[in-house]
PDB file of all heavy atoms in Angstrom:
ATOM      1  N   MET C  99       5.670  -1.691  20.920  1.00  0.00           N
ATOM      2  CA  MET C  99       6.299  -0.514  20.331  1.00  0.00           C
ATOM      3  C   MET C  99       6.043  -0.415  18.834  1.00  0.00           C
ATOM      4  O   MET C  99       5.700   0.635  18.310  1.00  0.00           O
ATOM      5  CB  MET C  99       7.803  -0.511  20.602  1.00  0.00           C
ATOM      6  CG  MET C  99       8.166  -0.194  22.037  1.00  0.00           C
ATOM      7  SD  MET C  99       7.442   1.391  22.570  1.00  0.00           S
ATOM      8  CE  MET C  99       8.628   1.869  23.792  1.00  0.00           C
ATOM      9  N   VAL C 100       6.220  -1.539  18.122  1.00  0.00           N
ATOM     10  CA  VAL C 100       6.056  -1.493  16.666  1.00  0.00           C
ATOM     11  C   VAL C 100       4.601  -1.302  16.277  1.00  0.00           C
ATOM     12  O   VAL C 100       4.248  -0.403  15.525  1.00  0.00           O
ATOM     13  CB  VAL C 100       6.612  -2.775  16.011  1.00  0.00           C
ATOM     14  CG1 VAL C 100       6.209  -2.870  14.559  1.00  0.00           C
ATOM     15  CG2 VAL C 100       8.129  -2.799  16.137  1.00  0.00           C
ATOM     16  N   PHE C 101       3.718  -2.180  16.818  1.00  0.00           N
ATOM     17  CA  PHE C 101       2.336  -2.204  16.338  1.00  0.00           C
ATOM     18  C   PHE C 101       1.397  -1.243  17.025  1.00  0.00           C
ATOM     19  O   PHE C 101       0.418  -0.800  16.421  1.00  0.00           O
ATOM     20  CB  PHE C 101       1.772  -3.630  16.471  1.00  0.00           C
ATOM     21  CG  PHE C 101       2.428  -4.619  15.557  1.00  0.00           C
ATOM     22  CD1 PHE C 101       3.200  -5.659  16.084  1.00  0.00           C
ATOM     23  CD2 PHE C 101       2.265  -4.534  14.192  1.00  0.00           C
ATOM     24  CE1 PHE C 101       3.806  -6.580  15.243  1.00  0.00           C
ATOM     25  CE2 PHE C 101       2.857  -5.457  13.336  1.00  0.00           C
ATOM     26  CZ  PHE C 101       3.637  -6.482  13.879  1.00  0.00           C
ATOM     27  N   ALA C 103       2.475   1.477  19.245  1.00  0.00           N
ATOM     28  CA  ALA C 103       2.988   2.816  19.554  1.00  0.00           C
ATOM     29  C   ALA C 103       3.425   3.528  18.271  1.00  0.00           C
ATOM     30  O   ALA C 103       2.726   4.411  17.795  1.00  0.00           O
ATOM     31  CB  ALA C 103       4.131   2.726  20.570  1.00  0.00           C
ATOM     32  N   ILE C 104       4.552   3.129  17.697  1.00  0.00           N
ATOM     33  CA  ILE C 104       5.124   3.900  16.604  1.00  0.00           C
ATOM     34  C   ILE C 104       4.213   3.930  15.361  1.00  0.00           C
ATOM     35  O   ILE C 104       3.951   5.000  14.803  1.00  0.00           O
ATOM     36  CB  ILE C 104       6.532   3.393  16.239  1.00  0.00           C
ATOM     37  CG1 ILE C 104       7.456   3.472  17.449  1.00  0.00           C
ATOM     38  CG2 ILE C 104       7.110   4.177  15.073  1.00  0.00           C
ATOM     39  CD1 ILE C 104       7.757   4.883  17.893  1.00  0.00           C
ATOM     40  N   MET C 105       3.720   2.762  14.947  1.00  0.00           N
ATOM     41  CA  MET C 105       2.893   2.759  13.730  1.00  0.00           C
ATOM     42  C   MET C 105       1.629   3.592  13.903  1.00  0.00           C
ATOM     43  O   MET C 105       1.369   4.484  13.085  1.00  0.00           O
ATOM     44  CB  MET C 105       2.548   1.334  13.286  1.00  0.00           C
ATOM     45  CG  MET C 105       1.794   1.309  11.965  1.00  0.00           C
ATOM     46  SD  MET C 105       1.770  -0.318  11.186  1.00  0.00           S
ATOM     47  CE  MET C 105       0.451  -1.102  12.093  1.00  0.00           C
ATOM     48  N   PRO C 106       0.853   3.411  14.979  1.00  0.00           N
ATOM     49  CA  PRO C 106      -0.327   4.265  15.091  1.00  0.00           C
ATOM     50  C   PRO C 106      -0.008   5.730  15.356  1.00  0.00           C
ATOM     51  O   PRO C 106      -0.763   6.601  14.936  1.00  0.00           O
ATOM     52  CB  PRO C 106      -1.104   3.653  16.260  1.00  0.00           C
ATOM     53  CG  PRO C 106      -0.196   2.726  16.952  1.00  0.00           C
ATOM     54  CD  PRO C 106       0.871   2.344  16.001  1.00  0.00           C
ATOM     55  N   LEU C 107       1.133   6.003  16.045  1.00  0.00           N
ATOM     56  CA  LEU C 107       1.477   7.411  16.262  1.00  0.00           C
ATOM     57  C   LEU C 107       1.772   8.104  14.945  1.00  0.00           C
ATOM     58  O   LEU C 107       1.378   9.231  14.706  1.00  0.00           O
ATOM     59  CB  LEU C 107       2.680   7.532  17.202  1.00  0.00           C
ATOM     60  CG  LEU C 107       2.365   7.393  18.700  1.00  0.00           C
ATOM     61  CD1 LEU C 107       3.660   7.305  19.493  1.00  0.00           C
ATOM     62  CD2 LEU C 107       1.534   8.566  19.189  1.00  0.00           C
ATOM     63  N   LEU C 108       2.495   7.412  14.065  1.00  0.00           N
ATOM     64  CA  LEU C 108       2.852   8.060  12.812  1.00  0.00           C
ATOM     65  C   LEU C 108       1.663   8.060  11.839  1.00  0.00           C
ATOM     66  O   LEU C 108       1.392   9.066  11.199  1.00  0.00           O
ATOM     67  CB  LEU C 108       4.028   7.322  12.162  1.00  0.00           C
ATOM     68  CG  LEU C 108       5.376   7.545  12.828  1.00  0.00           C
ATOM     69  CD1 LEU C 108       6.411   6.617  12.218  1.00  0.00           C
ATOM     70  CD2 LEU C 108       5.809   8.984  12.652  1.00  0.00           C
ATOM     71  N   VAL C 109       1.000   6.935  11.732  1.00  0.00           N
ATOM     72  CA  VAL C 109      -0.033   6.791  10.703  1.00  0.00           C
ATOM     73  C   VAL C 109      -1.408   7.104  11.283  1.00  0.00           C
ATOM     74  O   VAL C 109      -2.108   7.993  10.823  1.00  0.00           O
ATOM     75  CB  VAL C 109       0.002   5.383  10.091  1.00  0.00           C
ATOM     76  CG1 VAL C 109      -1.059   5.242   9.036  1.00  0.00           C
ATOM     77  CG2 VAL C 109       1.360   5.117   9.502  1.00  0.00           C
ATOM     78  N   GLY C 110      -1.797   6.376  12.319  1.00  0.00           N
ATOM     79  CA  GLY C 110      -3.129   6.587  12.900  1.00  0.00           C
ATOM     80  C   GLY C 110      -3.342   8.029  13.328  1.00  0.00           C
ATOM     81  O   GLY C 110      -4.414   8.598  13.135  1.00  0.00           O
ATOM     82  N   LEU C 190      -5.713  -5.783  14.049  1.00  0.00           N
ATOM     83  CA  LEU C 190      -4.934  -4.576  13.779  1.00  0.00           C
ATOM     84  C   LEU C 190      -4.709  -4.395  12.275  1.00  0.00           C
ATOM     85  O   LEU C 190      -4.758  -3.293  11.754  1.00  0.00           O
ATOM     86  CB  LEU C 190      -3.590  -4.635  14.492  1.00  0.00           C
ATOM     87  CG  LEU C 190      -2.778  -3.358  14.392  1.00  0.00           C
ATOM     88  CD1 LEU C 190      -3.397  -2.267  15.231  1.00  0.00           C
ATOM     89  CD2 LEU C 190      -1.338  -3.600  14.816  1.00  0.00           C
ATOM     90  N   SER C 194      -5.607  -1.206   9.988  1.00  0.00           N
ATOM     91  CA  SER C 194      -4.637  -0.546   9.115  1.00  0.00           C
ATOM     92  C   SER C 194      -5.147  -0.447   7.683  1.00  0.00           C
ATOM     93  O   SER C 194      -5.009   0.592   7.043  1.00  0.00           O
ATOM     94  CB  SER C 194      -3.356  -1.370   9.067  1.00  0.00           C
ATOM     95  OG  SER C 194      -2.381  -0.781   9.832  1.00  0.00           O
ATOM     96  N   LEU C 236       0.119  -5.334   5.155  1.00  0.00           N
ATOM     97  CA  LEU C 236      -0.574  -5.881   6.335  1.00  0.00           C
ATOM     98  C   LEU C 236      -1.361  -7.168   6.037  1.00  0.00           C
ATOM     99  O   LEU C 236      -1.353  -8.082   6.847  1.00  0.00           O
ATOM    100  CB  LEU C 236      -1.500  -4.824   6.965  1.00  0.00           C
ATOM    101  CG  LEU C 236      -0.982  -4.007   8.140  1.00  0.00           C
ATOM    102  CD1 LEU C 236      -0.404  -4.876   9.245  1.00  0.00           C
ATOM    103  CD2 LEU C 236       0.049  -3.001   7.700  1.00  0.00           C
ATOM    104  N   GLU C 279       6.923  -2.837   6.420  1.00  0.00           N
ATOM    105  CA  GLU C 279       6.479  -2.276   7.688  1.00  0.00           C
ATOM    106  C   GLU C 279       7.493  -1.292   8.265  1.00  0.00           C
ATOM    107  O   GLU C 279       7.113  -0.237   8.761  1.00  0.00           O
ATOM    108  CB  GLU C 279       6.245  -3.412   8.698  1.00  0.00           C
ATOM    109  CG  GLU C 279       6.078  -2.998  10.169  1.00  0.00           C
ATOM    110  CD  GLU C 279       4.772  -2.280  10.454  1.00  0.00           C
ATOM    111  OE1 GLU C 279       3.921  -2.230   9.539  1.00  0.00           O
ATOM    112  OE2 GLU C 279       4.606  -1.759  11.564  1.00  0.00           O
ATOM    113  N   ILE C 282       7.041   1.801   6.613  1.00  0.00           N
ATOM    114  CA  ILE C 282       5.860   2.456   7.170  1.00  0.00           C
ATOM    115  C   ILE C 282       6.229   3.213   8.439  1.00  0.00           C
ATOM    116  O   ILE C 282       5.688   4.290   8.733  1.00  0.00           O
ATOM    117  CB  ILE C 282       4.743   1.417   7.474  1.00  0.00           C
ATOM    118  CG1 ILE C 282       4.211   0.849   6.159  1.00  0.00           C
ATOM    119  CG2 ILE C 282       3.623   2.013   8.315  1.00  0.00           C
ATOM    120  CD1 ILE C 282       3.230  -0.308   6.357  1.00  0.00           C
ATOM    121  N   LEU C 283       7.194   2.659   9.193  1.00  0.00           N
ATOM    122  CA  LEU C 283       7.588   3.263  10.460  1.00  0.00           C
ATOM    123  C   LEU C 283       8.554   4.426  10.298  1.00  0.00           C
ATOM    124  O   LEU C 283       8.859   5.078  11.280  1.00  0.00           O
ATOM    125  CB  LEU C 283       8.216   2.209  11.368  1.00  0.00           C
ATOM    126  CG  LEU C 283       7.308   1.037  11.781  1.00  0.00           C
ATOM    127  CD1 LEU C 283       8.093  -0.005  12.560  1.00  0.00           C
ATOM    128  CD2 LEU C 283       6.158   1.552  12.634  1.00  0.00           C
TER     129      LEU C 283
END
Side-chain angles (χ1 to χ4, degrees):
Chain C
M99 287 305 208
V100 169
F101 293 113
I104 302 293
M105 185 164 81
L107 279 170
L108 287 172
V109 180
L190 187 72
S194 256
L236 264 308
E279 167 70 8
I282 291 173
L283 297 174

